[in-house]
Amino acid sequence: MRLISSISAALVLAVLAAPAAAQKLYRWVDADGKVQYTDALPPEAVNQQRSELNSAGMAVREVDRAMTPEERAVADAAAAEEARLAEIQAEQDKMDAVLMGSYATEADLQRAYAERFDLLDQTLEAADVGIRSQEKSLSDLVAHAASLERGGKPVPATVQSSINAARRQVEEQNEYLQKRRLERETLQAEYDEILARYRALKRGGAR
C-alpha cells in the first residue's frame, strides 16, 4: 500500500466525514511518486494528474495532467487536420447531394454529358476544317512566291505579308485546336470520375 504523506490517515477520515457541501478533497501523486491527499492544491500539483473525491471518498472527477508545449503542438496539429478533413467531407457531402438531386438515373447523367461532348466535338471538327483550309491557303501563297523566285521575279511585299499572316493564323488555330482537345480530355476525365461517384452513391458504398 502506498504511503499517504500530506495528511494523516486519521485526518483523511475526518475530512471525509465532514459535510459534503463544505468538503472537496484532491488525490494526486507528487514528484517522489507518493500519493497525496489535500483539501487545496499546492502550486506544484496544479498541472499534475489528479482525482477529485466526494465526502464518501469516491472519485467524482478525473483531471489529466497539463500537456507540455510539444504535446500541445501535436494535439493542435491533429485537431487542425481533423477539422480540415471534416471540412473536405462536408463539401463532398454537399456535392454528392447536388449530384444525386440533379440526375434521377444514370441515363440522365449520361445524356447531360453527351450534350457537352457533342458541342466540343463539333467545335473540334470545325477548327480542324478551318486549319486545313488555312494551311491550303498558306501552301498556295508559298507556292506562288516560289514560282516568282524561280522566274527571277521579286516576291511582292504584299505576298510576303500575306504569307506571314497566313502562318500566324495557322499557328493560332493550332493553339486553339490544342486547347479544345485538352478541354475534351478534361471533360472526359470529369465524366469518368462523376459517373464512378454516382454509381458508388447508388450502391450506397460511397463515403
Side-chain angles (χ1 to χ4, degrees):
M1 187 171 183
R2 303 180 77 174
L3 180 62
I4 297 177
S5 60
S6 285
I7 55 178
S8 67
L11 183 54
V12 170
L13 293 175
V15 169
L16 293 178
Q23 176 57 38
K24 194 172 193 179
L25 191 65
Y26 301 96
R27 180 186 184 278
W28 52 284
V29 179
D30 65 17
D32 297 325
K34 296 178 181 179
V35 177
Q36 303 288 339
Y37 287 88
T38 57
D39 58 0
L41 283 175
E44 65 271 17
V46 171
N47 292 327
Q48 297 300 316
Q49 182 178 4
R50 63 184 181 272
S51 300
E52 294 182 3
L53 312 178
N54 61 16
S55 60
M58 302 295 294
V60 294
R61 185 184 175 209
E62 297 292 334
V63 180
D64 292 332
R65 67 172 178 80
M67 287 189 285
T68 65
E70 293 76 13
E71 290 171 335
R72 173 54 63 188
V74 171
D76 289 345
E81 178 64 9
E82 184 177 352
R84 185 185 72 84
L85 293 176
E87 184 177 348
I88 291 174
Q89 186 59 55
E91 185 63 26
Q92 182 65 62
D93 291 343
K94 286 197 299 185
M95 292 174 62
D96 289 344
V98 170
L99 176 61
M100 300 306 292
S102 299
Y103 307 105
T105 66
E106 184 175 316
D108 293 333
L109 174 61
Q110 292 172 336
R111 251 190 317 272
Y113 271 86
E115 293 174 1
R116 296 172 64 184
F117 281 123
D118 286 344
L119 286 174
L120 270 174
D121 290 341
Q122 291 172 20
T123 299
L124 287 169
E125 184 178 355
D128 192 52
V129 170
I131 288 174
R132 288 199 299 271
S133 175
Q134 290 173 349
E135 286 176 339
K136 177 64 168 57
S137 297
L138 174 60
S139 178
D140 290 344
L141 286 169
V142 171
H144 176 58
S147 176
L148 290 173
E149 290 177 339
R150 283 194 301 271
K153 298 178 181 179
V155 177
T158 53
V159 173
Q160 189 59 55
S161 177
S162 296
I163 290 174
N164 293 337
R167 281 179 176 148
R168 284 195 301 271
Q169 289 177 347
V170 169
E171 290 174 357
E172 290 172 358
Q173 283 300 308
N174 273 311
E175 289 177 1
Y176 174 81
L177 182 61
Q178 289 304 316
K179 288 180 180 178
R180 299 292 78 78
R181 284 174 176 167
L182 180 58
E183 188 176 340
R184 178 68 162 73
E185 292 173 4
T186 300
L187 181 62
Q188 183 65 58
E190 176 188 315
Y191 171 69
D192 292 341
E193 182 179 353
I194 291 292
L195 180 59
R197 184 68 182 176
Y198 185 87
R199 288 172 174 172
L201 290 169
K202 278 291 189 181
R203 290 194 303 267
R207 184 56 187 159

